[in-house]
Amino acid sequence: MQCFVTKMVELFIAKTTKNSTKVAETVTLGPVLQREPYRKLLSGFIRDFDEVRILDVNLLQGLVQLVQSASPGFLISDNLVKVLSVLRTHLEGTHQHSSENLCHLTLAKEEH
């Protein structure tokens, strides 16, 4: 079973388009992943979220859910620094745009 969920994570990371369904399905795997596949998935989410020009709420929600579902010892301080850094960047870039996006970012920061 672990091999199957690890393969799903690898396929998700390799895909360039990540719609809400793909994000939701993949994030549900977070609690059952072993440490290395979890860390790869988290890094992929951070990278993807950092690379989007406009706020992708699906990736944001997936990132938050993934962090919340981390098993003890899976997260290191560097992970949280990177997450907060990309959230800050998007928050700064969003302040002139949609108040809905600002609300999503604020809620994400509060959940950490």
Side-chain angles (χ1 to χ4, degrees):
M1 189 66 153
Q2 281 298 322
C3 187
F4 176 70
V5 292
T6 300
K7 185 66 173 172
M8 288 181 65
V9 166
E10 290 170 359
L11 289 172
F12 178 82
I13 292 169
K15 297 277 183 189
T16 55
T17 9
K18 296 174 171 97
N19 63 30
S20 61
T21 303
K22 290 177 187 172
V23 169
E25 288 173 350
T26 305
V27 168
T28 60
L29 300 175
V32 298
L33 289 173
Q34 292 179 341
R35 188 170 200 260
E36 287 311 307
Y38 174 87
R39 295 188 48 71
K40 286 180 184 177
L41 182 60
L42 179 63
S43 294
F45 261 95
I46 293 169
R47 183 191 62 248
D48 290 345
F49 189 71
D50 190 33
E51 291 176 354
V52 293
R53 292 210 176 267
I54 58 172
L55 181 65
D56 184 327
V57 176
N58 296 318
L59 281 176
L60 172 62
Q61 291 172 340
L63 179 59
V64 170
Q65 290 173 359
L66 193 60
V67 168
Q68 289 175 335
S69 72
S71 296
F74 280 26
L75 291 174
I76 58 173
S77 59
D78 187 53
N79 297 134
L80 299 175
V81 168
K82 287 178 182 175
V83 168
L84 291 174
S85 177
V86 296
L87 288 174
R88 179 177 166 239
T89 300
H90 278 282
L91 183 59
E92 289 173 347
T94 304
H95 79 278
Q96 297 174 357
H97 303 291
S98 166
S99 59
E100 182 179 336
N101 289 347
L102 188 59
C103 179
H104 285 293
L105 283 166
T106 304
L107 290 174
K109 286 183 83 166
E110 288 175 358
E111 291 177 9
H112 291 288

